[in-house]
C-alpha cells in the first residue's frame, strides 16, 4: 500500500459494548457500510462480533491506524493513554482520532497521540445501541472545521 493510501473509512480500537454499539448504529443508519470498517480488540469474542457485522477484525491496533482515515478509540479510560502512546508514531497528518473514554481530556489525548492527528472527544450513552443517544462532542482547538460536519454525520 502506498504512503497515505487507506482501505477503510473507519477504524475502531476497542469493540466492547459501547464501541460495538456506535459501530452497529452507524452501519444500521447507512452512514457506513460494514466493508468500510476495520476494528481491533484484544478479545477474540469481540472480534467475532465485529466480523458478524461484516467488518474486518484484527488484534493489531497498528493495522487499524495504518489502514483507516478515521479512528474511533473505544477502550477503557485506564488504558487509553497506553494504547494511544503505543500508536503515537503511527498516526498521520489529516487523520482523525475520536475518543469516547470518559474523563480523558483533550489535553491528555493530545499528550498521548502527539501533534499529528485531529482530535474529537465524544461522550455517548447506551442509547446509541438504539440510535437514540445523547452525545456530547468536543473538538480540539486546531480541529479542521470541514471535518466537523463529517463527525456530526457519523455520530448522528
Amino acid at each position: 500500500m502506498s504512503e497515505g493510501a487507506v482501505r477503510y473509512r473507519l477504524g475502531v480500537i476497542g469493540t466492547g459494548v459501547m464501541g460495538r454499539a456506535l459501530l452497529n448504529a452507524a452501519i444500521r443508519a447507512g452512514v457506513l457500510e460494514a466493508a468500510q470498517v476495520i476494528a481491533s480488540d484484544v478479545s477474540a469474542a469481540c472480534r467475532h462480533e465485529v466480523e458478524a457485522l461484516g467488518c474486518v477484525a484484527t488484534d493489531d491496533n497498528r493495522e487499524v491506524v495504518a489502514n483507516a482515515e478515521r479512528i474511533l478509540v473505544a477502550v477503557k479510560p485506564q488504558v487509553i493513554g497506553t494504547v494511544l502512546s503505543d500508536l503515537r508514531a503511527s498516526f498521520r497528518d489529516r487523520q482523525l482520532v475520536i475518543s469516547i473514554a470518559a474523563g480523558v481530556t483533550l489535553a491528555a489525548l493530545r499528550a498521548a497521540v502527539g501533534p499529528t492527528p485531529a482530535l474529537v472527544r465524544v461522550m455517548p450513552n447506551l442509547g446509541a445501541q438504539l440510535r437514540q443517544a445523547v452525545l456530547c462532542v468536543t473538538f480540539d482547538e486546531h480541529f479542521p472545521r470541514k471535518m466537523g460536519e463529517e463527525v456530526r454525520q457519523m455520530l448522528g
Side-chain angles (χ1 to χ4, degrees):
M1 186 175 295
S2 65
E3 180 76 22
V6 295
R7 295 176 51 196
Y8 303 98
R9 281 187 62 204
L10 180 67
V12 182
I13 297 175
T15 57
V17 173
M18 189 56 73
R20 231 177 19 255
L22 291 171
L23 177 57
N24 203 354
I27 292 169
R28 285 194 336 252
V31 174
L32 289 169
E33 294 177 24
Q36 297 174 310
V37 179
I38 183 171
S40 62
D41 204 290
V42 296
S43 163
C46 288
R47 291 192 306 270
H48 178 72
E49 292 283 334
V50 167
E51 288 171 338
L53 291 173
C55 305
V56 172
T58 179
D59 63 355
D60 185 353
N61 294 339
R62 282 184 181 78
E63 183 179 356
V64 171
V65 173
N67 289 295
E69 296 174 356
R70 311 293 182 243
I71 309 297
L72 172 64
V73 184
V75 298
K76 300 285 186 196
Q78 59 269 28
V79 299
I80 194 168
T82 301
V83 169
L84 292 177
S85 293
D86 288 348
L87 296 168
R88 185 181 179 118
S90 302
F91 291 114
R92 301 178 307 278
D93 191 30
R94 299 180 199 243
Q95 198 165 32
L96 171 63
V97 174
I98 304 165
S99 167
I100 65 167
V104 180
T105 66
L106 284 172
L109 294 169
R110 177 60 64 207
V113 300
T116 304
L119 291 174
V120 177
R121 185 172 171 229
V122 178
M123 292 294 19
N125 61 21
L126 278 176
Q129 292 175 309
L130 304 173
R131 291 185 52 218
Q132 296 181 2
V134 174
L135 303 173
C136 178
V137 180
T138 305
F139 298 98
D140 181 47
E141 66 184 86
H142 303 294
F143 189 82
R145 285 188 181 267
K146 95 177 200 186
M147 278 188 190
E149 186 52 39
E150 178 185 345
V151 170
R152 285 181 192 83
Q153 182 183 23
M154 185 171 34
L155 296 173

